[in-house]
Amino acid sequence: MTDYNIRLEYQMPANEASGDLLVDTFKTFHPAAGPVGNGNIDVWLTIQGVDAYDVSQLATALASKVQRPLIALEVLPTADFDNRNGLTPVPELISTDDAAALLGVSRQAIDKQIKSGKLRGHRVGERTVVLARADVERQVEQRGRKLNLSDQAAEADAAALEEAGIEEHEIMADDRG
């Protein structure tokens, strides 16, 4: 499924009452209504669909809910809409507590990583700091790779010891003494 932006332009005056009517009619589709240069009003909706054809059929059915002449119907994948309008997607943000939970460390350790530049934090308000979830997940993945490599190295060491006929408890006894 892909997110699509739908623009429906109606032949009706761009005023508060028209905007309220369109927003109320399409409230489940995250509507945004506003004036068009020709004095009409349009409403933008966000809809998920398989493809543009599927979404345009749904948009046509939705457009008929408003008893005014439809002037234009436009269907555009959300990524293309954002690109066309110079919008940058906002990354999913998480708190320092959530980042600490994901990484299995303390919140203070997250604060140190932010101060050292290993993680990028952004202050929101006076005390709250948020991080991009993707940055934290990337660090979780990197730590996982390091652990996997350590596990593989330990397994290789154990196999080499076994092949040499040395048991692990013998090494421990030698190290003590």
Side-chain angles (χ1 to χ4, degrees):
M1 295 289 252
T2 303
D3 284 339
Y4 286 86
N5 286 46
I6 311 306
R7 185 178 77 88
L8 304 171
E9 181 181 337
Y10 289 96
Q11 186 177 353
M12 54 195 288
N15 57 39
E16 190 173 337
S18 298
D20 289 346
L21 170 72
L22 293 173
V23 167
D24 289 343
T25 301
F26 301 114
K27 63 184 165 205
T28 57
F29 300 101
H30 314 286
V36 182
N38 60 9
N40 290 327
I41 192 166
D42 67 4
V43 61
W44 284 93
L45 313 174
T46 302
I47 300 174
Q48 283 195 334
V50 176
D51 57 28
Y53 179 75
D54 175 49
V55 173
S56 64
Q57 287 183 316
L58 178 56
T60 302
L62 287 171
S64 67
K65 288 185 166 200
V66 177
Q67 301 302 309
R68 298 294 175 110
L70 182 66
I71 304 296
L73 183 151
E74 182 178 13
V75 175
L76 200 61
T78 299
D80 292 341
F81 170 84
D82 292 347
N83 219 5
R84 176 193 283 182
N85 292 291
L87 302 174
T88 304
V90 176
E92 183 180 352
L93 302 173
I94 59 173
S95 68
T96 52
D97 288 335
D98 291 340
L102 281 170
L103 287 165
V105 298
S106 69
R107 188 181 56 74
Q108 291 79 8
I110 296 297
D111 290 340
K112 285 181 183 178
Q113 287 188 35
I114 291 170
K115 285 181 180 139
S116 72
K118 289 182 181 174
L119 280 172
R120 289 183 306 170
H122 306 279
R123 188 166 299 284
V124 179
E126 286 186 37
R127 299 181 59 192
T128 304
V129 175
V130 294
L131 303 96
R133 176 182 282 279
D135 291 346
V136 175
E137 287 176 346
R138 196 169 16 264
Q139 198 173 91
V140 167
E141 186 179 309
Q142 289 170 349
R143 285 182 177 201
R145 276 196 223 128
K146 286 179 186 174
L147 290 176
N148 287 341
L149 290 174
S150 296
D151 292 345
Q152 289 171 1
E155 288 173 10
D157 289 347
L161 290 172
E162 186 178 321
E163 190 176 302
I166 300 172
E167 292 188 24
E168 194 170 331
H169 67 276
E170 291 177 33
I171 295 172
M172 292 175 151
D174 288 346
D175 286 346
R176 281 184 255 156

